Amino acid sequence: MPHSVAILGASGYTGAELVRLIATHPDLEIAALSADRKAGQSMGEVFPHLRHLDLPSLVRIDEIDFASVDLVFCALPHATSQEVISSLPRNVRIVDLSADFRLRAAADYEKWYGRAHSAMDLQAEAVYGLTEFYRDEIRTARLVAGTGCNAATGQYALRPLIEGGLIDLDDIVIDLKTGVSGAGRSLKENLLHAELSEGTHGYGIGGIHRHLGEFDQEFSALAGRPVEVQFTPHLIPANRGILGTVYVKGEAQAIHSALAERYAAEPFVIVLPMGEAPSTRHVRGSNFVHLGVVGDRRDGRAIVLAALDNLTKGSSGQALQNANLMLELEETAGLMMAPVFP
Amino acid sequence: MPHSVAILGASGYTGAELVRLIATHPDLEIAALSADRKAGQSMGEVFPHLRHLDLPSLVRIDEIDFASVDLVFCALPHATSQEVISSLPRNVRIVDLSADFRLRAAADYEKWYGRAHSAMDLQAEAVYGLTEFYRDEIRTARLVAGTGCNAATGQYALRPLIEGGLIDLDDIVIDLKTGVSGAGRSLKENLLHAELSEGTHGYGIGGIHRHLGEFDQEFSALAGRPVEVQFTPHLIPANRGILGTVYVKGEAQAIHSALAERYAAEPFVIVLPMGEAPSTRHVRGSNFVHLGVVGDRRDGRAIVLAALDNLTKGSSGQALQNANLMLELEETAGLMMAPVFP
Amino acid sequence: MPHSVAILGASGYTGAELVRLIATHPDLEIAALSADRKAGQSMGEVFPHLRHLDLPSLVRIDEIDFASVDLVFCALPHATSQEVISSLPRNVRIVDLSADFRLRAAADYEKWYGRAHSAMDLQAEAVYGLTEFYRDEIRTARLVAGTGCNAATGQYALRPLIEGGLIDLDDIVIDLKTGVSGAGRSLKENLLHAELSEGTHGYGIGGIHRHLGEFDQEFSALAGRPVEVQFTPHLIPANRGILGTVYVKGEAQAIHSALAERYAAEPFVIVLPMGEAPSTRHVRGSNFVHLGVVGDRRDGRAIVLAALDNLTKGSSGQALQNANLMLELEETAGLMMAPVFP
Amino acid sequence: MPHSVAILGASGYTGAELVRLIATHPDLEIAALSADRKAGQSMGEVFPHLRHLDLPSLVRIDEIDFASVDLVFCALPHATSQEVISSLPRNVRIVDLSADFRLRAAADYEKWYGRAHSAMDLQAEAVYGLTEFYRDEIRTARLVAGTGCNAATGQYALRPLIEGGLIDLDDIVIDLKTGVSGAGRSLKENLLHAELSEGTHGYGIGGIHRHLGEFDQEFSALAGRPVEVQFTPHLIPANRGILGTVYVKGEAQAIHSALAERYAAEPFVIVLPMGEAPSTRHVRGSNFVHLGVVGDRRDGRAIVLAALDNLTKGSSGQALQNANLMLELEETAGLMMAPVFP
C-alpha cells in the first residue's frame, strides 16, 4: 500500500518539483497539496506541465486532514515553515525544505535570518538533511531539515577533504554559479528574462549569504575548530543547475582519491576521472552530483568542481531521497531518471 | 525477462534520448550501442549526462550480434538508414527514426530527398509511426518509420479536423517554431550559441521543407483528394520543443470538440480548455502533446496550437511508444515522466 | 546649440533606450528625466549601463521646468500619458511612446483600451508616428503618437501591398514572434527568466490584441474599405526583436518588387533579395528593418517577413527619428549605429 | 580627410565588430576587407547585420593594395598573423588582434602556443595593447598587440593593486565567467546552442589556459618578481561579456581607493561605489569596463570584480582605441556608444 504524503507550499518551484518526482514514484501517493493564495485552483492551472496528473486541488493548510498523512513535505518560506510545522500533529513525519531547521544554534539562526527562532524545541529533534552524511539519523528522524542548495554543493566538494585533513582550513574559496530557479517564483526585476539573460553578476557576496551559516556549522563541526570559508555566488542565465568551483590548498591527487573513495558506494554522487570538469548541463533534471578535481601548475593547490541541479539534488530530490529513508522505502525510488540533455 | 534492444547511431541526440528513456524502462535492456566514428568510446564519454548508467560501449554496427536482439532503434541519418536496415536479419524488429521509410511512394522520396530509394521492398512493409493513428498496424509491424518531428506536430492538430471535414482543405497554414535540437548535433554556423541565441528566423520556407512530403501524403490520404498545406518553420533559441500555430478556416468550437473527443482516451495527448494556448515549456522532456484551440474575431476562422518536445514525443519517445506496442508491453512504459519545468 | 529634451518615464525600458540613443546624438541634450516612484535616484542607479553618462537625476514630472524644454519624449503607460500630456505647456512638442494617441476614433480607443479617452482634443492634432508613411505630417506636428511595436512590424510588410492592390485583403495572417522587452519592466510570473526561457507560446491571440486597433485603422484607411487581419503574437526567449511572418495571397515576385521600390530611398528599411529570410539577430540594437519575401509552391501565395528591434525601430528609435524631423535635424542623427551581432 | 584602414580576417566576430564600430567613426574609412575562404562574397552576405553599410567586398589578402592604407587591423588566427604581418610593407601601421605579439620572450610564446615564433624581429617592436597602461608607447608604435580578452579583464582588476603593493602576490585567484563569442565562429560541439545554453562548466583550467602567459609576463614585470596567479575560466550561456571574480588578500577599502584613483581620469573604466558588484549586462556592446570591490567577513580579504564586453573592450574596441591613438585621433572616437540593455 502506498504511503500518503502532503506537500505544503505546492505552488512554488520546489513544490512542483516534488510533484514531478512523486508522479512516477511507485510507493507514494499525494493526498493533499496546499497553497494559501492559490487555494481552490487545480495544480494544472498553476503548473500546466502537471496537467496530465490526477492530483488533489490546492487547499489551505487548515483544510488538510493530517490524520491520514504519513509524511509532509513542507516547501514553505522560512519563518512560515516553523510556525506551520509547530502546529502539525506528532504522528506526522516531516521533510522541511525551508531554512528553518538547518542551523542548530538559536544564535546562528538569528544571526543569519535576522529574527528569533520560535520553535527551538523542534529544532532540537531536527536532523540535517544532507543524505550521504546523515543517512542513519535521517532514517529515524521525525523532522528532517533540507539543506540549502548552495550549501549542499559546497559540502559535497569539501566534507571528505576536511574530514581527511587534506586541505588548509583557512584558505577555502567557494565561487559558485547558480541558475535562477533557486530564487523561486518571486517577482523581482533582476529575475526578469530581460534582465537576467545574456549576462552574469555576483550577488550576496562579501560574507553575507545565508548559506554561510550552514557551511560554518558543518565544516566547523567536522574540523573540530572554527572554519570560515569565502563564498561568492553568481547568477547565470540558466534555470537549473549550480556549479561550485572550490579553491583549496592541498594535493590534487590525494583530494581526488579521497572523493572517489568516499562516494564510491553512493548511488547519486559521481566522481569524474582526475582532471575532468563537470557541467551543470549533465545533471539537469536529475538527482545526480558530478564532482571533478583539477590541479594547478603550482603544487599544493587544487580545484574541486561540483555540479548539481538545485531543484532536484539541491532541494526536492534530496527531500524525496530522505523521505524514502524515513519510510523505509528503496532510497533511490522515484529518483533514478537520467538527466535531460540537451 | 527484459527484451533486448540495440540503438544504432547512439552518438546523436535522438540516440541519447532513447538511452535516457530506456534507462528507467522496466522491461527493456540495452544490448548494444553503435556509433561508427566514436566506436570504442564509452557512452559516458560522449554524453556525460549518461555517466551513471551501466551501458555497453559504442561499437561499429558490424560488431553487433543481432541474433540476441529483439528490436533495433535505428537513429542514423537518412540514406544510411535504408542501407543498414536492408542488411539486418529478418528476425529483428525495427523502429527507424530517420526519414527513409516515411514516404510510401518512391517518387515522393526522390522528390523530397533528392535521391532514389534503394530499399523499396522494405518500404512496402513499413508502417508510419504516428502512434495514435497507426496503433494497430504498429503492433504487428516488423518495421516502423518514425515520423518527422514537425510532421507529427502538424498532424496532431489537423488529422481529426480533416477526417471530420471541419476545415477548408485549401487554406491551411502551419507556422511552426522549433527548438534547435531538432537539427541534431551537426556543426553549422547558424546552430552556434552565438548565432542562434537571442533571436529567431524562418528557414526552409516557401514550400521546400522535407516534412511537407509527410503532410501531403497523410493529409491527402485522409481527405481522399490532394491537400497541400503552407508550412513555415522558424528556429527559436530553445533546445527542445516545437510549437505549431495552425491557421484553419472552420468553426473553433466544433474544432475543439472534435479534438477533445478524438484524444479523450489517449494517454499522451491533452486538449486544453477552449481558448487556452499551450507552451513548449510545459511538455519539455516528456512524451506529452498539448493542444489548444482559439477562435478569431471573425467567424469561421480558428487557430489550433500544438506543443510537443521534438526529441521525446517528436522522435525518441514516439519510437519507444511504438516499440512498446511491437513488443506487447504496456504502451506507456518508460514514458510517464512529467515534463521538466522550470 | 543643441535642442533641449526631457524624457518622462525614464525608468522603463523605452526611456532607457532613449537615453542610450541620445547619448551619442550630436544635437540633443537631456534636460530632465522623470520617474515618479524612483524620483531622487540617479539614472545610473536605476540603469547601471548608463553610469558613464552625465545625466540629470530622476525627478517627479511636476519638478520639471518645461519652459526651457524644446521637446518631450513621453514614455509613460497609456492613460497616464494622456493626462500628463494634457497638462504640458503648448510650446512643448511631444513624441508620445504610449498607445494613447494612436487611434483616431474615440470609439476605437474605448474598444481596445477599455476606457474612455480624456483628451480627444489633443488626439485631433496627433500624427501617427510611422515615419516612412507620415514623414511630412510629422515634421510639423506638435504631438506625434509612436506606433505599437508589433503594429509597426506588420505595417512595414503590408502597407505597400495594400496600397498597390497586390494582395487579397480578406486573407491576411500576421504570425508574430516577439522578444520579452516589449512587455516592459513589469513584474509578472510569465516574464521571469525561469518561466520564459527555453520555450515559446502564443499570447493575446484570437483577435484580442490591442495592436489590432492600429492595423484596422491604418489598413482600412489605405484600402478604402474595412480590413481585418488575423494577428497572433508569440513570446520567444529573446530580449529584443520582433519577427513578423505575414501570409498573404498575391504574387511573390510582384510583392517583392513593390517593397523594393517603395523602400529604395528609405535609410532604415532594407529589402533582402527575393527568397531570403531576415533574422531578428541582424537588427538587434539598431534602427533598421529587414524585409524578406518568399513564395510558396502554390502560385498566388507569398510570405513577407519583417524583422526589427522592438525597443529601437519599434519604439525609441522611431521616436528619435520623429523628433529629428520635428526639430529639423538630420533624420538619421543618432540612429546610424550598426546592429550588435553576435 | 579620413584615414584609410584595412581589416584582415573580416569574416570572424572580431572583424565584424571592428566594422560595426568603424561604421560610425568620423575619421576612418574602410578601404579593404579580407577573408580568404570567403573572398568574393560581400560583407552583407557573411554578416547580414552589416547589410546597410556600403563596404568593399571580401578579398584575399594578396589582392589588397597596402600603399593607400594607413593602418591595418589584423584579426587573423595566431600563427597566421605573424606570417601575414611579416609580409606587410613597412609604411603600414598595424593593430594585431591575435595572440602572436603579446608575449615578449620567444620561450614564452613557444611554451604557451606550442610552436616557435617566426617573427621575433617584429615582436621586438610590438607594444602590448592594454591602452590605459601603455598609452604613450602605443601612440608611436608601428605594431600594437591586442591583449587577450580574459587577460585584459584580470589586469584591469589587478594591475593597480600589484603596483601599489596592496595584495599578497602569492595568493591571487581569478575565477572568470565568459560568454561564448570569445571562442569565435569555430564549429565545435560544445559551442552549439543545444550544448552550451542553460548551463555552465569550467574549461582550460588547472594552469593551462594561454592567457596565463600574459598574466605572468605583465604581473611579474609590475611586481619585479615572478607572480603566478590561479586562473579558472568558465563558459556561460551568453554571447558577450566577461566577468572576472578576483580573490585577493588585502584590505578592501584600500583596494577600492587605489582603483578609484587610478582610473578616475580614464574615459572607459568605471569603478563602482564600494560594495557594489558589476554585471556583464551593463557593459554589453560597449567599450566600458565596470569594476567593483567587495570585502569579506574576515579582514584582509577582498574580491575585485571586473566586467567588460570581450568583443568590444576585450578585443575590437581596444583595437580601435589604440588605432585612434596611433593616428592621433580623439582616443574615444567611435567608442562612446552606450551599452545595449536589456
Side-chain angles (χ1 to χ4, degrees):
Chain A
M1 212 182 71
H3 293 273
S4 177
V5 301
I7 299 170
L8 310 186
S11 63
Y13 292 151
T14 55
E17 181 76 349
L18 279 164
V19 174
R20 176 176 84 91
L21 298 175
I22 295 172
T24 54
H25 192 292
D27 303 308
L28 297 186
E29 190 172 74
I30 296 175
L33 296 167
S34 90
D36 274 17
R37 274 175 306 173
K38 298 192 173 170
Q41 294 186 44
S42 74
M43 196 65 176
E45 286 172 288
V46 177
F47 285 115
H49 70 293
L50 301 174
R51 267 179 194 280
H52 65 285
L53 296 171
D54 185 23
L55 293 168
S57 284
L58 294 166
V59 296
R60 294 194 318 276
I61 291 172
D62 59 21
E63 297 178 88
I64 299 175
D65 173 13
F66 288 100
S68 62
V69 169
D70 298 310
L71 185 140
V72 165
F73 293 100
C74 190
L76 297 166
H78 72 267
T80 304
S81 203
Q82 57 190 262
E83 278 177 48
V84 167
I85 292 176
S86 295
S87 74
L88 293 179
R90 291 288 307 177
N91 71 294
V92 175
R93 299 177 78 182
I94 303 147
V95 178
D96 183 31
L97 286 79
S98 86
D100 268 354
F101 296 100
R102 295 170 186 168
L103 300 181
R104 280 183 279 275
D108 286 346
Y109 185 83
E110 195 160 344
K111 171 181 170 190
W112 291 105
Y113 292 90
R115 42 172 293 150
H117 201 290
S118 69
M120 284 307 293
D121 52 326
L122 284 169
Q123 174 59 65
E125 61 175 318
V127 172
Y128 190 65
L130 199 68
T131 321
E132 289 77 3
F133 297 93
Y134 288 90
R135 189 173 269 126
D136 289 342
E137 296 91 323
I138 289 167
R139 276 188 225 279
T140 57
R142 191 178 83 88
L143 169 59
V144 171
T147 71
C149 52
N150 299 325
T153 309
Q155 289 181 69
Y156 284 118
L158 283 165
R159 291 185 74 114
L161 314 185
I162 295 173
E163 274 194 301
L166 294 173
I167 56 172
D168 181 344
L169 297 175
D170 293 319
D171 242 346
I172 299 170
V173 171
I174 303 176
D175 188 283
L176 198 126
K177 297 86 182 162
T178 178
V180 67
S181 63
R185 215 174 192 178
S186 45
L187 298 175
K188 296 181 187 159
E189 275 181 6
N190 69 336
L191 302 181
L192 293 174
H193 186 279
E195 314 232 351
L196 185 85
S197 70
E198 275 292 302
T200 187
H201 66 278
Y203 72 96
I205 58 186
I208 61 172
H209 193 288
R210 287 164 165 177
H211 289 185
L212 280 169
E214 291 174 68
F215 285 134
D216 288 358
Q217 168 181 287
E218 295 298 310
F219 293 156
S220 300
L222 281 176
R225 51 151 278 196
V227 177
E228 289 194 324
V229 301
Q230 199 167 8
F231 168 51
T232 314
H234 302 76
L235 211 49
I236 61 163
N239 291 336
R240 288 168 176 258
I242 297 179
L243 180 71
T245 308
V246 184
Y247 296 88
V248 293
K249 290 186 177 156
E251 292 303 326
Q253 191 58 64
I255 285 169
H256 185 265
S257 299
L259 293 172
E261 190 179 330
R262 174 60 184 83
Y263 294 119
E266 286 296 340
F268 293 118
V269 186
I270 294 171
V271 180
L272 308 187
M274 181 71 195
E276 288 190 26
S279 164
T280 59
R281 296 166 195 93
H282 298 141
V283 295
R284 181 164 52 207
S286 84
N287 206 49
F288 295 97
V289 182
H290 283 193
L291 294 174
V293 180
V294 185
D296 188 43
R297 50 182 175 164
R298 290 175 295 174
D299 282 346
R301 291 168 197 263
I303 302 171
V304 186
L305 300 119
L308 55 74
D309 183 319
N310 54 297
L311 283 182
T312 319
K313 188 58 171 165
S315 184
S316 302
Q318 182 199 73
L320 180 54
Q321 192 176 350
N322 290 336
N324 283 339
L325 288 171
M326 294 162 79
L327 297 170
E328 296 180 37
L329 303 171
E330 187 72 33
E331 182 177 335
T332 60
L335 290 168
M336 289 304 290
M337 64 282 169
V340 177
F341 176 88
Chain B
M1 211 183 70
H3 293 273
S4 177
V5 301
I7 300 171
L8 311 186
S11 63
Y13 292 151
T14 55
E17 180 76 350
L18 279 165
V19 174
R20 178 176 82 92
L21 298 174
I22 295 173
T24 53
H25 192 293
D27 304 308
L28 296 186
E29 190 173 74
I30 296 176
L33 296 168
S34 90
D36 274 16
R37 274 176 305 173
K38 299 192 174 171
Q41 295 186 44
S42 75
M43 196 66 176
E45 286 172 288
V46 178
F47 285 115
H49 69 293
L50 301 174
R51 268 179 193 280
H52 64 287
L53 295 171
D54 184 22
L55 293 169
S57 286
L58 294 167
V59 295
R60 295 194 318 277
I61 292 172
D62 59 21
E63 297 178 87
I64 299 176
D65 173 12
F66 288 100
S68 61
V69 169
D70 297 312
L71 187 141
V72 164
F73 293 101
C74 189
L76 297 165
H78 72 267
T80 303
S81 204
Q82 53 191 266
E83 276 177 50
V84 167
I85 292 177
S86 293
S87 73
L88 293 179
R90 291 289 307 176
N91 71 294
V92 175
R93 299 177 79 182
I94 303 147
V95 178
D96 183 31
L97 286 80
S98 86
D100 267 355
F101 297 100
R102 294 170 185 167
L103 301 181
R104 281 183 279 274
D108 285 348
Y109 184 83
E110 194 161 343
K111 172 181 169 190
W112 292 105
Y113 292 90
R115 43 172 294 151
H117 201 290
S118 69
M120 285 306 295
D121 52 325
L122 285 171
Q123 174 59 63
E125 60 176 317
V127 172
Y128 191 66
L130 200 69
T131 322
E132 289 77 4
F133 297 94
Y134 288 89
R135 190 173 270 125
D136 289 341
E137 296 91 323
I138 289 166
R139 276 189 225 280
T140 57
R142 190 177 85 88
L143 170 59
V144 170
T147 71
C149 53
N150 299 324
T153 309
Q155 289 181 69
Y156 284 118
L158 283 165
R159 290 186 75 114
L161 313 185
I162 294 172
E163 275 193 301
L166 295 172
I167 57 173
D168 181 344
L169 297 175
D170 294 319
D171 244 346
I172 299 169
V173 172
I174 304 176
D175 187 284
L176 198 126
K177 296 88 181 164
T178 179
V180 67
S181 62
R185 216 174 192 180
S186 45
L187 297 175
K188 297 181 187 159
E189 275 181 6
N190 70 335
L191 301 181
L192 293 174
H193 186 280
E195 313 233 350
L196 186 85
S197 70
E198 276 292 301
T200 186
H201 66 278
Y203 71 97
I205 58 187
I208 62 169
H209 193 287
R210 287 164 164 177
H211 289 185
L212 280 168
E214 292 174 67
F215 285 135
D216 289 359
Q217 167 181 289
E218 296 298 309
F219 293 156
S220 299
L222 281 176
R225 49 150 280 193
V227 176
E228 289 194 326
V229 301
Q230 200 167 7
F231 168 51
T232 314
H234 301 76
L235 211 51
I236 62 164
N239 290 336
R240 288 168 174 259
I242 297 179
L243 180 71
T245 309
V246 184
Y247 296 88
V248 293
K249 290 187 176 154
E251 291 304 326
Q253 191 59 63
I255 285 169
H256 186 264
S257 300
L259 293 173
E261 191 179 329
R262 173 59 185 84
Y263 295 118
E266 286 297 341
F268 294 117
V269 187
I270 295 171
V271 180
L272 308 187
M274 182 70 195
E276 288 189 25
S279 165
T280 59
R281 296 166 195 92
H282 298 140
V283 295
R284 184 167 46 210
S286 84
N287 206 49
F288 295 97
V289 183
H290 283 194
L291 294 173
V293 180
V294 185
D296 187 44
R297 50 183 176 166
R298 289 174 297 173
D299 283 346
R301 291 168 198 263
I303 301 171
V304 186
L305 300 119
L308 55 74
D309 183 319
N310 53 295
L311 283 182
T312 320
K313 189 58 172 166
S315 185
S316 302
Q318 181 199 73
L320 180 54
Q321 192 177 350
N322 290 336
N324 284 338
L325 288 171
M326 293 162 79
L327 298 171
E328 296 179 39
L329 303 172
E330 188 72 36
E331 183 177 337
T332 60
L335 291 168
M336 290 304 290
M337 65 281 170
V340 177
F341 175 88
Chain C
M1 213 182 71
H3 293 273
S4 176
V5 301
I7 300 170
L8 311 185
S11 63
Y13 292 150
T14 55
E17 181 76 348
L18 280 164
V19 174
R20 176 175 84 91
L21 298 174
I22 295 172
T24 54
H25 193 292
D27 305 306
L28 296 185
E29 191 173 75
I30 297 175
L33 296 167
S34 91
D36 275 17
R37 273 176 306 173
K38 299 194 172 168
Q41 296 187 43
S42 75
M43 197 64 177
E45 287 172 289
V46 177
F47 285 115
H49 69 294
L50 301 174
R51 268 179 192 280
H52 64 288
L53 296 170
D54 184 23
L55 294 168
S57 284
L58 294 167
V59 296
R60 293 193 320 276
I61 292 171
D62 59 20
E63 298 177 87
I64 299 175
D65 174 13
F66 288 99
S68 62
V69 168
D70 298 312
L71 186 140
V72 164
F73 293 100
C74 188
L76 298 166
H78 72 266
T80 304
S81 202
Q82 55 190 265
E83 278 178 49
V84 167
I85 292 176
S86 295
S87 73
L88 293 179
R90 290 290 305 177
N91 70 295
V92 174
R93 299 177 78 183
I94 301 146
V95 178
D96 183 32
L97 285 80
S98 86
D100 267 355
F101 296 100
R102 295 171 185 167
L103 301 180
R104 282 184 277 275
D108 286 346
Y109 185 83
E110 193 161 343
K111 173 183 168 189
W112 291 106
Y113 292 91
R115 43 172 293 150
H117 201 290
S118 69
M120 284 307 293
D121 52 327
L122 284 169
Q123 173 59 64
E125 60 176 318
V127 172
Y128 189 66
L130 199 68
T131 321
E132 289 77 3
F133 297 93
Y134 288 90
R135 188 173 271 125
D136 290 340
E137 296 91 323
I138 289 167
R139 277 188 224 279
T140 57
R142 190 178 84 87
L143 169 59
V144 170
T147 71
C149 52
N150 299 325
T153 310
Q155 289 181 70
Y156 284 118
L158 284 164
R159 290 185 75 114
L161 314 185
I162 295 173
E163 275 193 300
L166 294 173
I167 56 172
D168 181 346
L169 297 174
D170 294 320
D171 244 344
I172 299 170
V173 172
I174 303 175
D175 187 284
L176 198 126
K177 297 86 182 163
T178 180
V180 67
S181 63
R185 216 174 192 180
S186 45
L187 297 175
K188 296 179 187 161
E189 274 180 7
N190 70 333
L191 301 182
L192 292 174
H193 186 279
E195 314 231 349
L196 185 85
S197 70
E198 275 293 298
T200 186
H201 67 278
Y203 72 95
I205 58 186
I208 61 171
H209 193 287
R210 287 162 165 180
H211 289 185
L212 280 168
E214 290 174 69
F215 285 134
D216 288 0
Q217 167 181 288
E218 296 298 309
F219 293 155
S220 299
L222 281 176
R225 48 150 281 193
V227 176
E228 289 193 324
V229 301
Q230 199 167 6
F231 168 51
T232 315
H234 301 76
L235 212 48
I236 61 163
N239 290 337
R240 287 167 175 259
I242 297 180
L243 180 72
T245 308
V246 184
Y247 297 88
V248 294
K249 290 185 176 158
E251 292 303 326
Q253 191 58 64
I255 286 169
H256 185 264
S257 300
L259 293 173
E261 191 179 330
R262 174 58 185 83
Y263 295 119
E266 286 296 342
F268 294 118
V269 186
I270 295 171
V271 180
L272 308 187
M274 181 70 195
E276 287 189 26
S279 164
T280 59
R281 296 166 194 93
H282 298 141
V283 294
R284 182 164 50 207
S286 84
N287 206 49
F288 295 98
V289 183
H290 283 192
L291 294 174
V293 180
V294 185
D296 188 43
R297 51 182 175 165
R298 291 173 296 174
D299 284 344
R301 291 166 197 264
I303 301 171
V304 186
L305 300 119
L308 54 73
D309 183 320
N310 53 296
L311 284 181
T312 320
K313 188 59 172 163
S315 185
S316 302
Q318 181 199 72
L320 180 55
Q321 192 177 351
N322 290 336
N324 283 339
L325 288 171
M326 295 162 79
L327 298 170
E328 297 180 37
L329 303 171
E330 188 72 34
E331 183 178 334
T332 59
L335 290 168
M336 289 305 290
M337 63 283 170
V340 178
F341 175 87
Chain D
M1 213 183 70
H3 293 272
S4 177
V5 301
I7 300 171
L8 310 186
S11 63
Y13 292 151
T14 55
E17 181 76 350
L18 280 164
V19 175
R20 177 176 84 91
L21 298 173
I22 296 173
T24 54
H25 192 293
D27 304 308
L28 296 186
E29 191 174 75
I30 296 176
L33 295 167
S34 90
D36 274 18
R37 273 176 306 174
K38 299 191 173 171
Q41 295 186 46
S42 74
M43 197 66 176
E45 287 172 289
V46 177
F47 285 115
H49 70 292
L50 301 173
R51 268 179 192 281
H52 64 286
L53 295 171
D54 185 22
L55 293 168
S57 285
L58 294 167
V59 296
R60 295 195 318 276
I61 292 172
D62 58 23
E63 298 178 87
I64 300 176
D65 173 12
F66 287 100
S68 61
V69 169
D70 297 312
L71 186 142
V72 164
F73 293 101
C74 190
L76 297 165
H78 72 267
T80 304
S81 204
Q82 54 190 267
E83 277 176 50
V84 167
I85 292 176
S86 295
S87 73
L88 294 179
R90 291 288 309 175
N91 71 294
V92 175
R93 299 178 77 183
I94 302 147
V95 178
D96 183 32
L97 287 80
S98 85
D100 267 353
F101 297 100
R102 296 170 185 167
L103 300 182
R104 281 184 278 273
D108 285 347
Y109 185 83
E110 194 162 342
K111 172 181 171 191
W112 291 105
Y113 291 90
R115 40 172 295 150
H117 201 290
S118 69
M120 284 308 294
D121 52 326
L122 284 170
Q123 174 59 63
E125 60 176 319
V127 172
Y128 191 66
L130 200 69
T131 322
E132 290 77 5
F133 298 94
Y134 288 89
R135 189 173 271 126
D136 289 340
E137 295 91 322
I138 289 167
R139 275 190 227 278
T140 57
R142 190 178 85 87
L143 169 59
V144 171
T147 71
C149 53
N150 299 325
T153 310
Q155 289 181 68
Y156 285 118
L158 283 166
R159 290 186 73 114
L161 314 184
I162 294 172
E163 277 193 299
L166 295 172
I167 57 173
D168 181 344
L169 298 174
D170 294 319
D171 242 345
I172 299 171
V173 172
I174 304 176
D175 187 284
L176 198 126
K177 297 87 181 161
T178 179
V180 66
S181 62
R185 215 174 193 180
S186 46
L187 297 175
K188 296 181 188 159
E189 274 181 7
N190 70 334
L191 302 180
L192 294 174
H193 186 279
E195 313 232 350
L196 185 86
S197 70
E198 277 289 302
T200 188
H201 66 279
Y203 71 97
I205 57 187
I208 61 169
H209 193 288
R210 288 163 164 179
H211 289 185
L212 280 169
E214 291 174 67
F215 285 135
D216 289 357
Q217 166 181 289
E218 296 297 310
F219 294 156
S220 299
L222 281 175
R225 50 151 280 196
V227 176
E228 289 194 325
V229 301
Q230 198 167 10
F231 168 50
T232 314
H234 301 76
L235 210 50
I236 62 163
N239 290 335
R240 288 168 175 260
I242 297 180
L243 181 70
T245 309
V246 184
Y247 297 88
V248 293
K249 290 188 176 156
E251 291 304 326
Q253 191 58 62
I255 286 169
H256 185 264
S257 300
L259 293 172
E261 191 179 329
R262 173 60 185 83
Y263 295 118
E266 286 297 340
F268 294 117
V269 186
I270 296 170
V271 180
L272 308 187
M274 182 69 194
E276 287 190 27
S279 164
T280 59
R281 296 165 195 92
H282 298 141
V283 294
R284 183 165 48 207
S286 84
N287 206 49
F288 295 98
V289 183
H290 283 192
L291 294 174
V293 180
V294 185
D296 188 45
R297 50 181 175 167
R298 290 174 296 173
D299 282 346
R301 291 167 198 263
I303 301 171
V304 186
L305 300 118
L308 54 74
D309 184 319
N310 53 297
L311 283 183
T312 319
K313 188 58 170 164
S315 183
S316 302
Q318 180 199 74
L320 181 54
Q321 192 175 350
N322 290 336
N324 284 338
L325 289 170
M326 294 162 80
L327 298 170
E328 297 181 37
L329 303 172
E330 187 71 36
E331 181 177 336
T332 60
L335 291 168
M336 290 303 291
M337 65 282 170
V340 177
F341 175 90

